[in-house]
Amino acid sequence: MGFLNGKRILITGISSKLSIAYGIAEAMHRQQAELAFTYQNNKLKNRVEEFAKNFDSKITLQCDVSQENNIKLLFLSLSEYWSKFDGLIHSIAFAPKNQLNGDYVNKVTYEGFKIAHKISSYSFVCMVKECRMMLNPNSSLITLSYLGSKRAIPNYNVMGPAKASLEANVRYIANIIGPEGIRVNAISAGPIRTLASSGIKNFRKMLAYCERVAPLRRTVTIEEIGNLAAFLCSNLSSGITGQIIYVDGGFNIATMNEL
Ligand code: NAD
Ligand code: 0WE
């Protein structure tokens, strides 16, 4: 029997088979979780419906987190299938393309800063706010972060402050919702080729750099992220909350490995 048997988990952020959220769905399906999915817009509707079938799920719901009332409606619609559920995967980030290149101080705009924080950080606490009453005890909430929250990484720019905000959000949500028996954690993933990273300047060089410098001397896969997410949604991780857990081959703990 899978260690997620009987758990109902809502997964956001699938837009292709490369998506980190897709790797999470695969790992959770393998452990016999019951899954539901959201898609950002109608362009993605058919694709996500096909993916859902592969995971034996009939539940696919539209949700663009830039519209706060979309998030409210999402959980109203979900409640027609599930009155209560056990986990939420937030795998969503966005900043306007022109913000992710060049001199941070010159390029940042209030509009870019606002959008990055709204979509990549506020949306997480907003989703928690709207589904809180539907969460069973022992539920687990997970978001995806990146080392750019703690270290200044070229071109990550305004997404760095947005991920720092997301990680602080994890701690504040965990502290408030813990007494309800609900756990909240972030997975900080190393760089992985997905739609969100494919257009990034020097992304290939960044992958190669990680292969040279990370203790494991390789990059990580969406399967490896998925396996941690499955563990974090299971009762095997019952004592873990408020944490930022790295799945990056150890990259974040090393330095001077190039010497
Ligand atoms: P992806 O492009 O597959 O997923 C990003 C998702 O965000 C997409 O499915 C997209 O539909 C969704 N999204 C964007 N704006 C949205 C909105 N307004 N409403 C609803 N959904 C919206 O890329 P990914 O790499 O799988 O990214 C998932 C998460 O992982 C992000 O939080 C990202 O920051 C994080 N992450 C990625 C990497 C990497 O190198 N790929 C590393 C660390 C963390
Ligand atoms: O969080 C991310 C990517 C987030 C992202 C990606 C895009 C591309 C398309 C946010 N907004 C947009 N907007 C778009 O228009 N990652 C962790 C992947 C990533 O992105 C980088 C990286 C890494 C790693 C950008 C610069 C430097 C490194």
Side-chain angles (χ1 to χ4, degrees):
M1 193 170 87
F3 61 64
L4 291 174
N5 199 1
K7 296 273 194 189
R8 292 176 154 177
I9 295 160
L10 177 65
I11 299 183
T12 69
I14 293 190
S15 55
S16 79
K17 282 201 171 195
L18 300 177
S19 292
I20 290 177
Y22 190 93
I24 293 175
E26 280 188 310
M28 291 190 164
H29 181 250
R30 204 179 298 130
Q31 296 303 332
Q32 295 174 352
E34 211 182 312
L35 302 176
F37 300 91
T38 71
Y39 53 92
Q40 183 182 355
N41 52 43
N42 282 326
K43 227 180 69 189
L44 292 167
K45 184 175 200 280
N46 287 325
R47 203 184 301 177
V48 172
E49 281 174 359
E50 285 305 308
F51 292 153
K53 274 187 212 161
N54 297 342
F55 299 126
D56 304 311
S57 168
K58 291 193 178 74
I59 315 177
T60 60
L61 303 164
Q62 194 268 330
C63 181
D64 180 337
V65 299
S66 66
Q67 314 284 321
E68 195 153 352
N69 120 64
N70 248 257
I71 299 179
K72 277 199 164 75
L73 287 173
L74 161 66
F75 291 109
L76 196 61
S77 309
L78 183 65
S79 67
E80 289 173 21
Y81 301 88
W82 295 346
S83 57
K84 297 265 179 167
F85 66 107
D86 309 284
L88 170 69
I89 309 302
H90 175 274
S91 186
I92 293 171
F94 182 80
K97 181 109 191 153
N98 64 11
Q99 296 286 296
L100 296 176
N101 196 317
D103 181 316
Y104 171 53
V105 176
N106 284 337
K107 289 282 185 75
V108 72
T109 61
Y110 176 55
E111 191 63 12
F113 189 96
K114 195 166 62 176
I115 292 170
H117 284 71
K118 176 178 175 180
I119 305 303
S120 314
S121 178
Y122 177 69
S123 68
F124 183 49
V125 66
C126 184
M127 291 189 95
V128 178
K129 185 203 263 294
E130 298 303 337
C131 73
R132 187 173 187 176
M133 302 309 293
M134 292 173 68
L135 294 170
N136 285 319
N138 304 316
S139 284
S140 173
L141 315 176
I142 298 173
T143 188
L144 273 297
S145 195
Y146 178 59
L147 183 62
S149 64
K150 320 213 83 137
R151 311 246 211 109
I153 294 175
N155 301 318
Y156 201 61
N157 294 3
V158 74
M159 279 303 301
K163 289 298 194 189
S165 162
L166 178 67
E167 292 179 7
N169 240 329
V170 165
R171 291 184 284 272
Y172 275 81
I173 301 166
N175 197 41
I176 283 297
I177 213 164
E180 292 158 40
I182 301 167
R183 299 180 295 106
V184 189
N185 295 285
I187 300 175
S188 186
I192 299 176
R193 184 168 296 290
T194 63
L195 291 184
S197 58
S198 61
I200 302 302
K201 193 172 167 234
N202 290 332
F203 195 74
R204 283 164 60 111
K205 283 189 183 169
M206 292 188 30
L207 293 172
Y209 183 84
C210 290
E211 285 171 4
R212 279 201 306 279
V213 170
L216 294 182
R217 298 291 189 274
R218 62 172 179 84
T219 56
V220 295
T221 64
I222 61 171
E223 289 72 28
E224 291 175 309
I225 312 297
N227 284 334
L228 175 59
F231 165 75
L232 285 175
C233 271
S234 78
N235 298 344
L236 295 171
S237 58
S238 54
I240 303 175
T241 194
Q243 303 305 303
I244 315 300
I245 304 178
Y246 287 80
V247 180
D248 66 349
F251 180 86
N252 76 94
I253 59 95
T255 189
M256 298 198 213
N257 279 341
E258 285 194 303
L259 296 185

